[in-house]
Amino acid sequence: MNATSSILAAALISLVLAGQALAQPPPQAQAAKVNISQTNPPLELTVGKSIVLTSDQDIRRISLASPDSVDVLLLSQRQVYLTGKAPGATNLTLWGPGDAVMAVYDLNVTPDQSQLKNMIFTVLPNERGIRVSSSGRNIILSGHVSSATRMAAAVSLAETVTPGKVQNLMSVGGVQQVMLEVRIAEMSRTVLQRFGINFNLMTGGNAVQSMLGGLTKLSGGVMTPTDNIGAIVTPNLGSSASLTAFIDALKANGLVKVLAEPNLICLSGKSASFLAGGEIPIPIPQGLGTVAIEYKPFGVGLNFTPIVLDSGRISIQVNPEVSELDSSLGVTINSWQIPGLTTRRVSTTIELGNGQSFAIAGLIKDTSRESINKYPGLGDLPVLGALFRSSEYRKNETELVIIVTPHLVKPLDMAQQTLPTDGFREPTPSEFFGKGEMEGKADAGQKPSQRPAPSKNDTSSRTGGSAETAAPQAQ
């Protein structure tokens, strides 16, 4: 009987010890210990981490407002084990002997920052200026990064921890201003050869007329020449007959050269535009007989959006355009002559280093057109056939090249910047009227292209000027 009692006692002790072991926190969680006192500051918990509250009195009852954010476990009559489950806020109430409220704690559960910090350090080891903090369910990234691509990488890593709850307060350091230098060169050659003859033969009461090629037209029974006429020949055939020949003989060569070099400065990630040209008014018929005017721009235009990448490389979305007025493409709207536009436009995205150039367009266009209008049979005669046909030959050659060069730029001291007007001096009356000079002579101690240096007390040329002038960054 004594042996049986000893076995039962040993079994009870084993069950008690086992129950205490089950009530202990998981061995992998290092729980922080907090003593319960009269002053109860808010408790900060991290998702996946735990703390232990220790009291000097027995805890009779506990209550948790939001079990979705925190898990609570009573280890003993004087210890409470808290584990963060999800980001959020709640409160914990403890009652002591006599059902008196012992303490009330505000619990703030935040995302695990250590995991995100380790990820950022592993993926971006050289970015030591990134700071990670949290507020409620949100992760806040602040500090400085070296490029926009690395900032995007840090934000993507934070999104894996708290999707949709990332606040990006980081700023990009270094040079983030890009000057785009674009050179547009175009050569266009045209060749035109045209020959045609119209005649008007009258003998007695008979008349023979040819109007091939549009050199002449009938107006009230009378042959009238058009603007295409180059020469009129009227030989003397006697009193009984008259002959009038209208000749169109033209050979023309044309050459057009277009060279534009627009430069524009823009911040990384922003868009900028440039236009050197003008706008033509286009009437748009409206209801009730009214007409609205819409303006169409033309000239040399440039739109680009740069993004500064790692190692000083620049990704650019560039849209250069060259357009000019062309009356041959125009239309007539309500008696208004609207000219057309000949446009050369390019849209592309390229990636270059600082100071590198890239030809984004090389267009060679060669067109030729031949046309012969003739009377059947008569136009095929060996010699006289030239009187009964009209010939025209056109050839156009166009070559267009656009070269893009981006530069990383930084502000420049206005005192060191020269302007084209710095060396100009108005002529005196004796120089203008007596010598016929358009510019006066520069001072003896000043070069024509050099700006006089401001004094130390003069700050007017140094305030605000650096925001409008820039120089390429030295490598």
Side-chain angles (χ1 to χ4, degrees):
M1 192 70 173
N2 293 334
T4 303
S5 300
S6 300
I7 295 174
L8 292 175
L12 290 175
I13 293 174
S14 300
L15 290 175
V16 172
L17 293 176
Q20 292 179 354
L22 291 174
Q24 294 298 321
Q28 67 273 13
Q30 300 296 328
K33 295 183 179 181
V34 178
N35 294 325
I36 297 177
S37 60
Q38 296 297 327
T39 59
N40 304 315
L43 296 181
E44 299 291 337
L45 282 84
T46 304
V47 175
K49 302 297 178 66
S50 59
I51 62 174
V52 176
L53 297 180
T54 302
S55 173
D56 55 356
Q57 305 180 46
D58 292 342
I59 301 175
R60 300 298 184 184
R61 186 156 50 100
I62 60 176
S63 174
L64 190 62
S66 176
D68 295 335
S69 300
V70 180
D71 268 342
V72 60
L73 177 63
L74 185 61
L75 299 180
S76 65
Q77 292 184 351
R78 296 193 177 188
Q79 284 188 335
V80 179
Y81 184 74
L82 301 176
T83 303
K85 294 174 56 179
T90 183
N91 54 31
L92 175 69
T93 306
L94 304 178
W95 285 268
D99 288 336
V101 176
M102 182 187 306
V104 177
Y105 288 93
D106 291 331
L107 305 179
N108 296 321
V109 184
T110 59
D112 189 3
Q113 302 178 16
S114 60
Q115 179 185 0
L116 178 58
K117 292 178 180 179
N118 292 334
M119 294 170 59
I120 293 178
F121 179 78
T122 302
V123 178
L124 305 172
N126 297 326
E127 298 297 334
R128 302 300 179 89
I130 300 178
R131 295 191 295 270
V132 180
S133 58
S134 60
S135 176
R137 297 175 179 268
N138 298 325
I139 287 288
I140 301 175
L141 299 179
S142 59
H144 299 275
V145 290
S146 59
S147 65
T149 55
R150 298 194 174 188
M151 180 175 65
V155 174
S156 298
L157 293 176
E159 287 286 347
T160 61
V161 178
T162 55
K165 302 294 183 180
V166 179
Q167 300 295 327
N168 182 14
L169 302 181
M170 294 182 293
S171 60
V172 181
V175 179
Q176 297 296 315
Q177 295 182 125
V178 179
M179 181 183 71
L180 192 67
E181 178 184 356
V182 178
R183 285 178 287 177
I184 302 173
E186 180 183 11
M187 292 292 293
S188 178
R189 299 178 180 87
T190 59
V191 177
L192 173 63
Q193 296 181 6
R194 191 173 64 214
F195 182 79
I197 295 177
N198 284 179
F199 61 88
N200 181 16
L201 177 61
M202 299 185 66
T203 172
N206 301 319
V208 178
Q209 301 176 348
S210 68
M211 292 180 290
L212 193 66
L215 303 183
T216 58
K217 63 181 180 179
L218 286 176
S219 177
V222 180
M223 177 175 280
T224 305
T226 62
D227 296 336
N228 296 332
I229 296 299
I232 300 177
V233 179
T234 306
N236 187 6
L237 301 180
S239 59
S240 61
S242 65
L243 174 64
T244 304
F246 303 92
I247 302 174
D248 178 22
L250 176 64
K251 181 178 180 180
N253 295 323
L255 177 63
V256 177
K257 172 187 174 183
V258 177
L259 177 62
E261 296 186 6
N263 297 334
L264 205 58
I265 298 177
C266 182
L267 191 65
S268 176
K270 302 296 182 179
S271 298
S273 60
F274 170 88
L275 176 64
E279 294 183 344
I280 57 173
I282 299 177
I284 307 296
Q286 304 292 322
L288 302 177
T290 60
V291 177
I293 302 298
E294 179 180 349
Y295 289 87
K296 179 71 175 180
F298 70 94
V300 179
L302 173 64
N303 295 280
F304 83 105
T305 304
I307 298 177
V308 179
L309 305 177
D310 293 339
S311 303
R313 299 192 64 81
I314 308 169
S315 175
I316 308 172
Q317 181 181 1
V318 59
N319 303 288
E321 178 179 323
V322 180
S323 58
E324 58 186 355
L325 299 179
D326 189 351
S327 58
S328 63
L329 302 177
V331 295
T332 301
I333 302 177
N334 293 339
S335 71
W336 284 306
Q337 297 292 333
I338 309 300
L341 291 176
T342 300
T343 305
R344 280 80 68 198
R345 183 184 297 114
V346 176
S347 178
T348 184
T349 301
I350 58 178
E351 182 177 330
L352 298 175
N354 182 22
Q356 294 180 341
S357 299
F358 191 83
I360 62 174
L363 173 63
I364 298 177
K365 182 181 179 182
D366 189 350
T367 60
S368 61
R369 186 179 66 179
E370 300 178 3
S371 62
I372 297 178
N373 299 323
K374 59 184 178 180
Y375 290 103
L378 298 177
D380 296 329
L381 296 177
V383 178
L384 298 179
L387 300 175
F388 302 97
R389 64 174 177 259
S390 176
S391 305
E392 182 177 351
Y393 172 78
R394 292 177 180 268
K395 183 177 182 180
N396 297 327
E397 295 180 354
T398 303
E399 183 176 0
L400 174 65
V401 176
I402 301 176
I403 300 177
V404 176
T405 305
H407 297 280
L408 293 176
V409 295
K410 56 185 178 180
L412 180 68
D413 188 0
M414 190 61 182
Q416 301 177 359
Q417 180 70 13
T418 60
L419 300 177
T421 57
D422 288 343
F424 175 79
R425 191 177 71 86
E426 295 183 359
T428 62
S430 61
E431 292 174 339
F432 183 74
F433 294 104
K435 300 180 181 180
E437 296 180 353
M438 302 296 294
E439 296 184 19
K441 295 182 179 179
D443 297 337
Q446 178 184 353
K447 296 181 180 180
S449 60
Q450 183 179 5
R451 195 180 202 182
S455 62
K456 295 182 179 180
N457 296 328
D458 184 12
T459 59
S460 60
S461 63
R462 296 194 181 104
T463 58
S466 60
E468 299 179 358
T469 59
Q473 182 188 19
Q475 294 296 309

